Amino acid sequence: MTKLSVNINKVATLRNARGGNNPDVLQAALDCEKFGAQGITVHPRPDERHIRYNDVRDIRPLLKTEFNIEGNPIDKYIDLVLEVRPTQVTLVPDAEDQITSNHGWDAKANRGFLTDVIGRFKEADIRTSIFVDGDPEMVAAAKLCGTDRVELYTEPYAAGYLADREEAIKPFVEAAEAAREVGLGLNAGHDLSLVNLHYFHRNIPWIDEVSIGHALICDALYMGLHETIKAYLECLK
């Protein structure tokens, strides 16, 4: 079964806009678990504009499901992951001032760097995933870095879905098949939503995990968090 990991960054963004602790990020993580999510994702950035490093520390001992920490493996991020020891670390090539992720790694050009970082995490018994575009060549290159999984960057799929969903899904099916052929686990994330998730999953049913934040939290404004998580889980059946 494909797991749903809820990215709670946007909950932290709302909290930080006003100061204080409303909404309570830790409680939101626990509620997502209670409502059926099989994992929690956070993506701390160097400026801590949403999830803060201390949030990551505070959340870890409370969770009963999987914990996934995404981010660019700069030194302080690596130190945080090795301190907290989540279930999974997802390496994302974000610039420090980037608003949101917008591309995957060039795993060929960065093979040496990624191999070294992944080696450090695997020594700590942390499952590793590399964020890559829907490109079989990059999936194959990621395998050579020693990663356990790849996460497909799905914004191009979401952007093309309404115009031609069959054409939009093609490169992701090819990349997913490449991952399966070389024995990599498979995750996906970015702009997956109630509009496009079911079709994505129907075409790639062997996917291990989807990480969804922005769309899910937006839907929760209208539907409530409990009903929204139920709806996303229905898409993955």
Side-chain angles (χ1 to χ4, degrees), residues 203-216:
N203 282 272
I204 312 174
W206 64 91
I207 195 163
D208 293 298
E209 173 188 291
V210 292
S211 176
I212 304 177
H214 183 81
L216 190 150

Side-chain angles (χ1 to χ4, degrees), residues 3-63:
K3 292 181 178 180
L4 172 65
S5 185
V6 176
N7 186 321
I8 58 171
N9 273 25
K10 286 299 185 294
V11 178
T13 301
L14 184 59
R15 175 200 63 189
N16 296 353
R18 189 71 180 266
N21 194 40
N22 188 24
D24 185 326
V25 173
L26 275 63
Q27 188 60 51
L30 295 177
D31 286 341
C32 287
E33 283 191 327
K34 181 172 67 175
F35 298 151
Q38 295 106 341
I40 300 296
T41 292
V42 294
H43 190 145
R45 287 185 163 87
D47 62 5
E48 298 189 285
R49 64 181 181 270
H50 32 63
I51 284 290
R52 300 168 181 154
Y53 276 46
N54 277 338
D55 291 330
V56 179
R57 296 183 178 98
D58 291 342
I59 289 169
R60 179 66 179 108
L62 302 179
L63 296 182

Side-chain angles (χ1 to χ4, degrees), residues 84-148:
V84 172
R85 300 201 175 207
T87 316
Q88 176 175 267
V89 56
T90 301
L91 308 182
V92 183
D94 283 343
E96 289 199 14
D97 59 350
Q98 199 162 316
I99 294 175
T100 188
S101 307
N102 63 11
H103 65 284
W105 285 97
D106 183 335
K108 294 174 68 176
N110 294 281
R111 179 177 171 182
F113 172 72
L114 290 170
T115 300
D116 289 344
V117 172
I118 288 168
R120 294 182 65 183
F121 291 141
K122 293 187 82 169
E123 284 180 3
D125 199 28
I126 301 168
R127 188 174 71 225
T128 59
S129 179
I130 299 178
F131 199 61
V132 297
D133 296 324
D135 178 349
E137 185 177 358
M138 286 301 111
V139 171
K143 172 68 173 180
L144 297 177
C145 297
T147 190
D148 300 301

Side-chain angles (χ1 to χ4, degrees), residues 187-234:
N187 300 337
H190 207 90
D191 284 357
L192 295 174
S193 69
L194 290 176
V195 173
N196 58 48
L197 178 59
H198 176 70
Y199 185 77
F200 188 88
H201 184 253
R202 193 175 78 193
N203 282 272
I204 312 174
W206 64 91
I207 195 163
D208 293 298
E209 173 188 291
V210 292
S211 176
I212 304 177
H214 183 81
L216 190 150
I217 298 303
C218 289
D219 290 331
L221 293 175
Y222 295 92
M223 300 168 60
L225 187 58
H226 191 180
E227 290 302 316
T228 298
I229 289 175
K230 284 173 59 178
Y232 276 87
L233 290 171
E234 282 292 320

